[in-house]
Amino acid sequence: MTTPSTDDQLFQATYDRVAARYDDLWSRNVRTPNDRLTRALNLRRNERIVDLACGSGAATLPMMGIVAPGETVAVDPSEGMLSLARARAHAEGLQLTAVQAKAEDFIAAAPAASFDAVSMRFALAYLDWRHVLPSMGRLLRSGGRVGLLTSLATSAPQALTIYQRLAESMEMDTADIPTPTASGPVEELLTRGGLRIEDSWHHNFRLWFDSGAEATRWLLDTGYIAHPALAGLGGEVLDGLIDLFGTHLENEYREDEGVPLDFFLAGILARRP
């Protein structure tokens, strides 16, 4: 299984392409942990918040509804995703400040102590989180909170096993999984940035697919698998790769309900004293 790379143009193109379908493909599957994180942030009216890597705004709007008329800033490198977030806010009669930028660039440029709460959900695969996380605390005012959700590197173990097996058979080097293997390293880095960990929890879920090929296409369409080497593939070549990978998933993991993929998430809440 290839994993998200740091190729910025690749990821912007991936999420621009899938923006209209992203909520159906991904957001609806993580509504429960998203709602839990929003509650844990304990947002209040008139607070100023930022949602980093906001995507389509599925998790942003519930936060906006709580803090309004306080300002909500939504940050994402994908213009397609930001357009959806803007449209959603407008439909709800809410004013959204949308910023097209990478999360790490926004964190580096934003004034210190300028937010009451910072949300970042499912973004660690796309940035140098070991460098970025200690700097997140500087954005917060005293008493401000950081809420973070991430997939762990143990997610989709079925696909990871097939990827490693195919890579070995083809004598290819395997890519490192970019997300953390556990919440501990994330907590340590946030603490290093002057924050106090107040809550840490896990959420696991399983998705079922009618076929291995359907599961493989889902991994590609959601951006869960992305790599520059895949960007140049298309047509019969890409279809052949999907069929090959999907066949291995079918043969190894099919159950009565279909072909499963398991996901393991971590949620963390930290506060600036």
PDB file of all heavy atoms in Angstrom, residues 51-72:
ATOM      1  N   ASP A  51     -10.039  26.000  11.882  1.00  0.00           N
ATOM      2  CA  ASP A  51     -10.104  24.588  11.520  1.00  0.00           C
ATOM      3  C   ASP A  51      -9.074  24.347  10.428  1.00  0.00           C
ATOM      4  O   ASP A  51      -9.262  24.765   9.277  1.00  0.00           O
ATOM      5  CB  ASP A  51     -11.514  24.222  11.039  1.00  0.00           C
ATOM      6  CG  ASP A  51     -11.724  22.723  10.959  1.00  0.00           C
ATOM      7  OD1 ASP A  51     -10.901  21.978  11.523  1.00  0.00           O
ATOM      8  OD2 ASP A  51     -12.727  22.291  10.356  1.00  0.00           O
ATOM      9  N   LEU A  52      -7.973  23.712  10.794  1.00  0.00           N
ATOM     10  CA  LEU A  52      -6.876  23.458   9.870  1.00  0.00           C
ATOM     11  C   LEU A  52      -7.149  22.192   9.075  1.00  0.00           C
ATOM     12  O   LEU A  52      -7.567  21.177   9.634  1.00  0.00           O
ATOM     13  CB  LEU A  52      -5.561  23.319  10.641  1.00  0.00           C
ATOM     14  CG  LEU A  52      -5.149  24.536  11.474  1.00  0.00           C
ATOM     15  CD1 LEU A  52      -4.005  24.179  12.416  1.00  0.00           C
ATOM     16  CD2 LEU A  52      -4.742  25.691  10.563  1.00  0.00           C
ATOM     17  N   ALA A  53      -6.887  22.233   7.756  1.00  0.00           N
ATOM     18  CA  ALA A  53      -7.228  21.124   6.863  1.00  0.00           C
ATOM     19  C   ALA A  53      -8.721  20.830   6.975  1.00  0.00           C
ATOM     20  O   ALA A  53      -9.148  19.703   7.215  1.00  0.00           O
ATOM     21  CB  ALA A  53      -6.385  19.893   7.167  1.00  0.00           C
ATOM     22  N   CYS A  54      -9.526  21.872   6.791  1.00  0.00           N
ATOM     23  CA  CYS A  54     -10.971  21.807   7.049  1.00  0.00           C
ATOM     24  C   CYS A  54     -11.724  20.942   6.065  1.00  0.00           C
ATOM     25  O   CYS A  54     -12.857  20.546   6.328  1.00  0.00           O
ATOM     26  CB  CYS A  54     -11.555  23.216   7.042  1.00  0.00           C
ATOM     27  SG  CYS A  54     -11.543  24.017   5.402  1.00  0.00           S
ATOM     28  N   GLY A  55     -11.138  20.663   4.893  1.00  0.00           N
ATOM     29  CA  GLY A  55     -11.856  19.879   3.908  1.00  0.00           C
ATOM     30  C   GLY A  55     -13.126  20.572   3.453  1.00  0.00           C
ATOM     31  O   GLY A  55     -13.154  21.789   3.254  1.00  0.00           O
ATOM     32  N   SER A  56     -14.196  19.830   3.359  1.00  0.00           N
ATOM     33  CA  SER A  56     -15.465  20.357   2.859  1.00  0.00           C
ATOM     34  C   SER A  56     -16.242  21.138   3.906  1.00  0.00           C
ATOM     35  O   SER A  56     -17.324  21.636   3.623  1.00  0.00           O
ATOM     36  CB  SER A  56     -16.329  19.207   2.348  1.00  0.00           C
ATOM     37  OG  SER A  56     -16.673  18.361   3.432  1.00  0.00           O
ATOM     38  N   GLY A  57     -15.701  21.213   5.120  1.00  0.00           N
ATOM     39  CA  GLY A  57     -16.389  21.933   6.184  1.00  0.00           C
ATOM     40  C   GLY A  57     -17.367  21.092   6.974  1.00  0.00           C
ATOM     41  O   GLY A  57     -18.124  21.623   7.791  1.00  0.00           O
ATOM     42  N   ALA A  58     -17.350  19.772   6.796  1.00  0.00           N
ATOM     43  CA  ALA A  58     -18.301  18.908   7.494  1.00  0.00           C
ATOM     44  C   ALA A  58     -18.172  19.031   9.008  1.00  0.00           C
ATOM     45  O   ALA A  58     -19.175  18.990   9.730  1.00  0.00           O
ATOM     46  CB  ALA A  58     -18.109  17.455   7.067  1.00  0.00           C
ATOM     47  N   ALA A  59     -16.941  19.182   9.500  1.00  0.00           N
ATOM     48  CA  ALA A  59     -16.730  19.364  10.942  1.00  0.00           C
ATOM     49  C   ALA A  59     -16.649  20.833  11.320  1.00  0.00           C
ATOM     50  O   ALA A  59     -16.791  21.181  12.494  1.00  0.00           O
ATOM     51  CB  ALA A  59     -15.456  18.644  11.383  1.00  0.00           C
ATOM     52  N   THR A  60     -16.430  21.703  10.344  1.00  0.00           N
ATOM     53  CA  THR A  60     -16.286  23.129  10.619  1.00  0.00           C
ATOM     54  C   THR A  60     -17.615  23.774  10.984  1.00  0.00           C
ATOM     55  O   THR A  60     -17.703  24.563  11.931  1.00  0.00           O
ATOM     56  CB  THR A  60     -15.707  23.859   9.390  1.00  0.00           C
ATOM     57  OG1 THR A  60     -14.612  23.110   8.854  1.00  0.00           O
ATOM     58  CG2 THR A  60     -15.234  25.255   9.751  1.00  0.00           C
ATOM     59  N   LEU A  61     -18.661  23.455  10.235  1.00  0.00           N
ATOM     60  CA  LEU A  61     -19.943  24.128  10.445  1.00  0.00           C
ATOM     61  C   LEU A  61     -20.542  23.893  11.829  1.00  0.00           C
ATOM     62  O   LEU A  61     -21.065  24.839  12.427  1.00  0.00           O
ATOM     63  CB  LEU A  61     -20.935  23.734   9.351  1.00  0.00           C
ATOM     64  CG  LEU A  61     -21.034  24.776   8.229  1.00  0.00           C
ATOM     65  CD1 LEU A  61     -19.759  24.813   7.409  1.00  0.00           C
ATOM     66  CD2 LEU A  61     -22.234  24.517   7.352  1.00  0.00           C
ATOM     67  N   PRO A  62     -20.494  22.674  12.372  1.00  0.00           N
ATOM     68  CA  PRO A  62     -21.000  22.524  13.732  1.00  0.00           C
ATOM     69  C   PRO A  62     -20.262  23.406  14.742  1.00  0.00           C
ATOM     70  O   PRO A  62     -20.878  23.921  15.685  1.00  0.00           O
ATOM     71  CB  PRO A  62     -20.779  21.033  14.026  1.00  0.00           C
ATOM     72  CG  PRO A  62     -20.829  20.384  12.685  1.00  0.00           C
ATOM     73  CD  PRO A  62     -20.162  21.366  11.767  1.00  0.00           C
ATOM     74  N   MET A  63     -18.962  23.600  14.539  1.00  0.00           N
ATOM     75  CA  MET A  63     -18.208  24.488  15.429  1.00  0.00           C
ATOM     76  C   MET A  63     -18.615  25.936  15.209  1.00  0.00           C
ATOM     77  O   MET A  63     -18.770  26.709  16.165  1.00  0.00           O
ATOM     78  CB  MET A  63     -16.706  24.309  15.203  1.00  0.00           C
ATOM     79  CG  MET A  63     -16.182  22.938  15.589  1.00  0.00           C
ATOM     80  SD  MET A  63     -14.368  22.834  15.606  1.00  0.00           S
ATOM     81  CE  MET A  63     -13.991  23.016  13.846  1.00  0.00           C
ATOM     82  N   MET A  64     -18.832  26.322  13.960  1.00  0.00           N
ATOM     83  CA  MET A  64     -19.252  27.685  13.648  1.00  0.00           C
ATOM     84  C   MET A  64     -20.559  28.036  14.332  1.00  0.00           C
ATOM     85  O   MET A  64     -20.735  29.142  14.855  1.00  0.00           O
ATOM     86  CB  MET A  64     -19.418  27.871  12.132  1.00  0.00           C
ATOM     87  CG  MET A  64     -18.152  27.848  11.330  1.00  0.00           C
ATOM     88  SD  MET A  64     -18.507  28.112   9.575  1.00  0.00           S
ATOM     89  CE  MET A  64     -19.038  29.822   9.591  1.00  0.00           C
ATOM     90  N   GLY A  65     -21.493  27.080  14.309  1.00  0.00           N
ATOM     91  CA  GLY A  65     -22.789  27.336  14.897  1.00  0.00           C
ATOM     92  C   GLY A  65     -22.719  27.616  16.387  1.00  0.00           C
ATOM     93  O   GLY A  65     -23.573  28.323  16.934  1.00  0.00           O
ATOM     94  N   ILE A  66     -21.683  27.083  17.042  1.00  0.00           N
ATOM     95  CA  ILE A  66     -21.527  27.289  18.484  1.00  0.00           C
ATOM     96  C   ILE A  66     -20.900  28.649  18.780  1.00  0.00           C
ATOM     97  O   ILE A  66     -21.349  29.371  19.667  1.00  0.00           O
ATOM     98  CB  ILE A  66     -20.674  26.169  19.098  1.00  0.00           C
ATOM     99  CG1 ILE A  66     -21.358  24.814  18.917  1.00  0.00           C
ATOM    100  CG2 ILE A  66     -20.413  26.450  20.576  1.00  0.00           C
ATOM    101  CD1 ILE A  66     -20.491  23.635  19.300  1.00  0.00           C
ATOM    102  N   VAL A  67     -19.851  29.016  18.035  1.00  0.00           N
ATOM    103  CA  VAL A  67     -19.085  30.221  18.378  1.00  0.00           C
ATOM    104  C   VAL A  67     -19.655  31.491  17.754  1.00  0.00           C
ATOM    105  O   VAL A  67     -19.313  32.594  18.180  1.00  0.00           O
ATOM    106  CB  VAL A  67     -17.600  30.071  17.981  1.00  0.00           C
ATOM    107  CG1 VAL A  67     -16.993  28.850  18.634  1.00  0.00           C
ATOM    108  CG2 VAL A  67     -17.435  30.008  16.457  1.00  0.00           C
ATOM    109  N   ALA A  68     -20.483  31.387  16.717  1.00  0.00           N
ATOM    110  CA  ALA A  68     -21.017  32.579  16.057  1.00  0.00           C
ATOM    111  C   ALA A  68     -21.686  33.492  17.072  1.00  0.00           C
ATOM    112  O   ALA A  68     -22.371  33.015  17.981  1.00  0.00           O
ATOM    113  CB  ALA A  68     -22.013  32.167  14.967  1.00  0.00           C
ATOM    114  N   PRO A  69     -21.451  34.814  16.947  1.00  0.00           N
ATOM    115  CA  PRO A  69     -20.808  35.531  15.844  1.00  0.00           C
ATOM    116  C   PRO A  69     -19.290  35.613  15.919  1.00  0.00           C
ATOM    117  O   PRO A  69     -18.667  36.412  15.211  1.00  0.00           O
ATOM    118  CB  PRO A  69     -21.423  36.926  15.960  1.00  0.00           C
ATOM    119  CG  PRO A  69     -21.628  37.104  17.425  1.00  0.00           C
ATOM    120  CD  PRO A  69     -22.023  35.756  17.935  1.00  0.00           C
ATOM    121  N   GLY A  70     -18.644  34.808  16.773  1.00  0.00           N
ATOM    122  CA  GLY A  70     -17.192  34.747  16.765  1.00  0.00           C
ATOM    123  C   GLY A  70     -16.681  34.252  15.425  1.00  0.00           C
ATOM    124  O   GLY A  70     -17.371  33.514  14.714  1.00  0.00           O
ATOM    125  N   GLU A  71     -15.458  34.637  15.059  1.00  0.00           N
ATOM    126  CA  GLU A  71     -14.921  34.308  13.740  1.00  0.00           C
ATOM    127  C   GLU A  71     -14.447  32.862  13.670  1.00  0.00           C
ATOM    128  O   GLU A  71     -13.770  32.363  14.571  1.00  0.00           O
ATOM    129  CB  GLU A  71     -13.746  35.222  13.397  1.00  0.00           C
ATOM    130  CG  GLU A  71     -13.192  34.969  11.994  1.00  0.00           C
ATOM    131  CD  GLU A  71     -11.959  35.808  11.677  1.00  0.00           C
ATOM    132  OE1 GLU A  71     -11.291  36.269  12.634  1.00  0.00           O
ATOM    133  OE2 GLU A  71     -11.656  35.987  10.490  1.00  0.00           O
ATOM    134  N   THR A  72     -14.797  32.194  12.581  1.00  0.00           N
ATOM    135  CA  THR A  72     -14.271  30.877  12.271  1.00  0.00           C
ATOM    136  C   THR A  72     -13.414  30.982  11.013  1.00  0.00           C
ATOM    137  O   THR A  72     -13.884  31.431   9.966  1.00  0.00           O
ATOM    138  CB  THR A  72     -15.399  29.855  12.026  1.00  0.00           C
ATOM    139  OG1 THR A  72     -16.158  29.691  13.223  1.00  0.00           O
ATOM    140  CG2 THR A  72     -14.816  28.503  11.624  1.00  0.00           C
TER     141      THR A  72
END
